[in-house]
Amino acid sequence: MKIIYDFGAHDGTDVKYYLLKAERVIAVEANPKLVDLLRQRFSAEIADGRLIVHHCALSLRDDGNPIDFYVHRQSSVFSQVDPPKPEQAHLFEKVSVPARTPSSIVQQFGVPWYIKCDIEHFDGAVLDDLFGHSICPPFISAEAHNIDVFARLLLNSQYKAFKVLSGGRVRRELSKAKISTASGNHIFHFEGDTSGPFGDDIPGPWLPANVAFYQLAYENLGHMDIHATTT
């Protein structure tokens, strides 16, 4: 069974696409309001077992105790696990949410085919936990606010080829993209705050590490997803 993990599912913008790609999707989201939205939006898929919405914040501890999560009052995409800077504290609402390690979630729900990681400023820690537990799916992506995320992928000898995908490119070129599914190729419309396609659905060749590095340097870090494959 192909299982996709959507770490940072937000409002489910990417879940619709992932449901076309895999037999099961595990959508992990910390924001309680967005969890309710996901459960309403995808009630049919949840009922038939194709989607599991798991409410928790990703953490490096799994002791059963809740942790603080900071919901951005103006734009939920900027919600985060780390406490905001004092001068930005007024922009956030602190809520208490369940906490899980990424590896424990994977161990519970099954071997991943693809993992999307979009956890504001916490992606590197998620990769550390996954790789530390020998969880290296055939496809993985993480948002790179700094070069450390790329470095973690490079240090994992399982990953030899990369693609770099910016949010700007998704909006400009891939809002309507050809995707492959078990039932054939389709045109899918990516909209909103989407991470866009993954794997071979991203046009262009897989790049060796040095070429991907230069592309990152050229395009700059920020809303930039680094995709890696073991295949």
Side-chain angles (χ1 to χ4, degrees):
M1 175 186 289
K2 288 182 177 178
I3 302 175
I4 290 177
Y5 288 82
D6 189 351
F7 287 152
H10 195 239
D11 61 0
T13 299
D14 294 322
V15 168
K16 185 178 178 181
Y17 164 56
Y18 298 152
L19 285 166
L20 294 174
K21 297 288 292 183
E23 288 91 343
R24 180 168 293 168
V25 176
I26 314 299
V28 178
E29 176 55 45
N31 187 330
K33 293 181 180 178
L34 292 179
V35 169
D36 290 342
L37 175 64
L38 287 167
R39 288 173 175 164
Q40 293 171 13
R41 182 178 179 184
F42 297 103
S43 58
E45 291 81 0
I46 294 170
D48 66 19
R50 296 193 58 232
L51 174 66
I52 295 172
V53 177
H54 194 62
H55 178 212
C56 72
L58 294 183
S59 172
L60 295 183
R61 73 183 203 210
D62 203 11
D63 56 11
N65 294 317
I67 64 172
D68 293 333
F69 182 73
Y70 299 86
V71 177
H72 199 281
R73 298 179 187 275
Q74 298 175 359
S75 180
S76 55
V77 297
F78 298 126
S79 301
Q80 59 192 51
V81 173
D82 292 335
K85 296 177 181 178
E87 63 270 20
Q88 296 179 329
H90 66 285
L91 297 174
F92 293 85
E93 175 189 1
K94 183 171 72 172
V95 297
S96 180
V97 300
R100 295 283 304 275
T101 60
S103 57
S104 71
I105 295 172
V106 170
Q107 289 161 358
Q108 177 179 355
F109 293 110
V111 177
W113 177 54
Y114 168 56
I115 292 178
K116 181 206 92 176
C117 181
D118 188 356
I119 308 295
E120 198 72 9
H121 304 291
F122 200 66
D123 302 73
V126 172
L127 295 181
D128 286 344
D129 179 68
L130 292 172
F131 298 162
H133 288 83
S134 300
I135 298 170
C136 304
F139 297 97
I140 193 168
S141 70
E143 190 173 31
H145 285 282
N146 57 63
I147 200 63
D148 289 352
V149 169
F150 188 42
R152 285 170 165 89
L153 291 166
L154 286 179
L155 288 171
N156 187 324
S157 61
Q158 300 282 341
Y159 295 106
K160 304 291 187 182
F162 307 87
K163 290 185 179 184
V164 177
L165 186 60
S166 68
R169 184 185 172 199
V170 172
R171 289 188 294 271
R172 291 190 308 269
E173 305 173 21
L174 303 177
S175 59
K176 292 183 179 179
K178 181 187 286 186
I179 67 167
S180 63
T181 72
S183 62
N185 293 335
H186 301 275
I187 299 297
F188 185 84
H189 182 49
F190 290 95
E191 57 187 1
D193 291 307
T194 178
S195 294
F198 76 91
D200 293 328
D201 284 346
I202 303 173
W206 288 95
L207 305 174
N210 62 323
V211 177
F213 176 80
Y214 284 121
Q215 185 176 347
L216 272 174
Y218 176 77
E219 296 199 33
N220 238 333
L221 297 166
H223 188 186
M224 187 76 65
D225 290 318
I226 302 175
H227 292 253
T229 183
T230 63
T231 59

